[in-house]
Amino acid sequence: MASGVEVKSSSIDGKGCYATHSFRKGRKISEYVGERISRHEIKRRLQGAQRIHICAIDSYWAIDGSVGGNGTQYINHSCNPNAFIKIINGRIYFYALRDIAPSEEITVDYIASWHDDETKCFCNAPNCRGTINKIQGRSGSS
Ligand SMILES: [Zn+2]
C-alpha cells in the first residue's frame, strides 16, 4: 500500500482510495504502480473485464494496477475530482488538485478511459456529466 492512503468501500463504485493524512494542493500523492503492458495486452485484458484498473502512459503502453498495485488502482473517477494524473518519464503519478483532508476519498477525472462511452457516472458531484468518459461535444449530463 502506498503511504498516506488506504482502501475502503466507496459510495462511488466498489472500493475507493482514501487519504489517511492531508495533502496540500500541488503535492504528489503517490505513483500508480502495477504491471506495464502493451496495447495488444490491454485489448486482451479488457475483454469481459468487470473492473478496469488500467491507466495509460501513452498510446502504446499502460499500467495495470490490478497486478502489483499499491492501492491507488482503486482511485475512482469523479467529475469534480481532488487529484489529477501527471505522466513523467513514462511513469504515472497522482497529484493533489486542491487541499485534501484526511479521510477524503481521492478521485481523478478519467476523461478518456477504456470504459464504454455510455458507462454511467455515480460521482454525485453537482457538475456530474453523467458518464465517466468525457465525450466531445457533450457537456453536462443532459
Ligand atoms: Zn460524475
Side-chain angles (χ1 to χ4, degrees):
M1 186 72 54
S3 76
V5 301
E6 63 178 341
V7 173
K8 294 190 291 191
S9 68
S10 166
S11 63
I12 297 174
D13 180 45
K15 288 177 182 173
C17 188
Y18 291 77
T20 56
H21 61 69
S22 58
F23 290 97
R24 280 253 172 245
K25 179 181 177 179
R27 290 295 299 274
K28 192 198 304 181
I29 297 168
S30 174
E31 182 174 358
Y32 187 85
V33 299
E35 188 183 357
R36 191 179 161 94
I37 56 173
S38 68
R39 190 159 58 188
H40 173 78
E41 184 62 14
I42 296 165
K43 232 187 231 169
R44 201 185 65 79
R45 292 190 187 184
L46 290 178
Q47 284 172 0
Q50 291 293 308
R51 300 240 176 243
I52 301 168
H53 297 298
I54 298 173
C55 187
I57 296 168
D58 54 35
S59 61
Y60 191 84
W61 293 103
I63 288 177
D64 186 349
S66 56
V67 184
N70 60 1
T72 57
Q73 73 270 29
Y74 295 110
I75 291 179
N76 278 315
H77 162 87
S78 172
C79 300
N80 184 23
N82 56 16
F84 64 97
I85 288 168
K86 217 177 190 177
I87 294 162
I88 303 165
N89 297 328
R91 297 169 76 163
I92 302 169
Y93 299 93
F94 294 102
Y95 282 80
L97 187 61
R98 55 172 171 77
D99 289 351
I100 298 172
S103 83
E104 245 192 275
E105 180 169 1
I106 297 165
T107 55
V108 297
D109 187 339
Y110 288 180
I111 303 173
S113 70
W114 282 284
H115 293 83
D116 191 278
D117 278 349
E118 299 307 314
T119 302
K120 294 221 170 354
C121 179
F122 298 100
C123 75
N124 296 317
N127 63 335
C128 181
R129 60 180 174 249
T131 54
I132 284 177
N133 288 351
K134 194 173 197 167
I135 298 157
Q136 285 214 332
R138 188 193 283 187
S139 61
S141 55
S142 57

